[in-house]
Amino acid sequence: MPQTLDLVREFLNTHPASAADTLETIEPEAAADLLAELPVDDAATVAVHMVPGFLASCLSAMTQDSAGRILDRMPARSAAMALRHLDRENRSALVAMIGAARRAHVSLILRQPIQTVAAWIDTQVPALRTDDTVRTARDRLTQVDSAFDRVFIVDEDHRLLGAVPVRTLLLQSAESLLSDLMEAQTDRMLGSLTIEAAREDAAWSHADIQPVVDASGKLLGAIRHADLRRALIPEAAAVSDGDGDNAALEITHMVYLGLAEAMNLTLGQIQNSRNGSKGRS
């Protein structure tokens, strides 16, 4: 089992979207057993690519501790999408198992109506103050889950003031103040805007990420064009690896057929072990 599990881990880490496809062909309980066998970071990597409804079933089949640790390693928006498929009692129980820092981001997203921009935002954005330095901004970019093409500048009340492109941060002295480099951030979306209306926003013609604010101008997070498209067809797009290249996925399945078989073998071994434990109980 350990050697086979190593092959499965390679498959999961190299092609997590393809691994998610494979897991979704079996019972959620069996998929949950495999995820629980993996290191939590590996499990979270593939969980992000699962259809939210299927992932929710997997989480329900795990212990709350295991489910909470996986959710704690996932981007807040991905965790929230899965949690929306659970009833209120189970959702609250799993949210409570997430670490305090990420729990706050997940809870913010869960409070938003599903058809609004705010329900699909990345809440962990690089937000800084005007008196911060380029060095601080560079450090902040390494601490967020996703890549950004700019950092956002906010005031003491977290209202959006402007932005500094990453290319500027790379060219300027580490001790330069962001106030001297800030550009006006005129493009922004209201969190209450519907995703259908957001799709028509002209800002997408020149940017793939837009900051999202509340009615008072406070920065809530950011939304990516890819996530907006996923919001319009959430279940169908959730299994995609983001590049839309189905042919590439088919090639991946063929090249890694041996690893996929190893994964199926591991699933069978785990399931047999699980059934044996039930028989002895």
Side-chain angles (χ1 to χ4, degrees):
M1 171 78 82
Q3 186 174 10
T4 305
L5 194 59
D6 286 341
L7 290 174
V8 172
R9 288 184 61 191
E10 181 181 344
F11 182 44
L12 294 177
N13 287 314
T14 306
H15 294 285
S18 297
D21 285 345
T22 302
L23 288 175
E24 287 161 6
T25 65
I26 64 176
E27 291 299 318
E29 292 80 8
D33 286 343
L34 175 59
L35 292 175
E37 289 276 338
L38 297 170
V40 65
D41 286 334
D42 294 345
T45 296
V46 70
V48 167
H49 294 274
M50 286 181 170
V51 172
F54 183 83
L55 176 57
S57 297
C58 292
L59 295 172
S60 296
M62 300 178 188
T63 65
Q64 289 185 356
D65 181 64
S66 294
R69 286 187 291 110
I70 291 174
L71 289 167
D72 195 44
R73 297 296 204 285
M74 294 173 62
R77 65 185 183 281
S78 299
M81 286 302 103
L83 288 165
R84 284 184 187 276
H85 288 264
L86 300 176
D87 61 66
R88 185 180 299 274
E89 181 179 352
N90 286 329
R91 183 192 312 149
S92 298
L94 289 186
V95 168
M97 300 301 295
I98 301 174
R102 195 169 301 266
R103 188 194 314 145
H105 293 280
V106 172
S107 297
L108 172 63
I109 296 173
L110 287 173
R111 288 197 297 269
Q112 313 306 319
I114 189 64
Q115 292 301 319
T116 64
V117 167
W120 293 87
I121 59 174
D122 185 346
T123 55
Q124 294 175 292
V125 299
L128 299 106
R129 301 280 291 278
T130 55
D131 56 354
D132 283 323
T133 64
V134 166
R135 186 190 307 279
T136 301
R138 292 172 182 169
D139 289 342
R140 188 67 54 81
L141 283 168
T142 67
Q143 298 167 4
V144 294
D145 289 331
S146 307
F148 284 85
D149 61 355
R150 59 195 183 273
V151 298
F152 300 107
I153 311 301
V154 298
D155 65 14
E156 61 274 9
D157 294 319
H158 214 67
R159 288 190 292 265
L160 182 63
L161 299 177
V164 179
V166 169
R167 63 178 181 275
T168 301
L169 298 175
L170 296 176
L171 295 173
Q172 297 296 322
S173 164
E175 302 309 319
S176 298
L177 291 176
L178 297 183
S179 58
D180 297 330
L181 308 173
M182 183 175 67
E183 300 177 0
Q185 179 65 57
T186 54
D187 294 329
R188 59 188 67 191
M189 287 187 176
L190 279 173
S192 58
L193 189 68
T194 66
I195 54 177
E196 289 83 1
R199 177 178 55 182
E200 307 302 325
D201 197 295
W204 295 122
S205 64
H206 57 266
D208 288 328
I209 302 175
Q210 296 297 334
V212 177
V213 299
D214 67 9
S216 67
K218 291 183 179 180
L219 182 65
L220 297 175
I223 188 167
R224 301 167 191 276
H225 198 224
D227 287 333
L228 182 63
R229 296 195 303 271
R230 187 174 294 114
L232 293 169
I233 45 172
E235 292 300 309
V239 298
S240 169
D241 63 353
D243 61 11
D245 192 346
N246 291 328
L249 277 180
E250 289 302 318
I251 292 171
T252 294
H253 277 303
M254 288 187 289
V255 172
Y256 280 86
L257 182 60
L259 291 177
E261 289 298 328
M263 186 161 128
N264 286 327
L265 174 62
T266 301
L267 286 168
Q269 291 173 331
I270 291 173
Q271 188 66 35
N272 288 339
S273 175
R274 188 169 179 264
N275 290 338
S277 296
K278 285 182 178 179
R280 291 191 297 271
S281 58

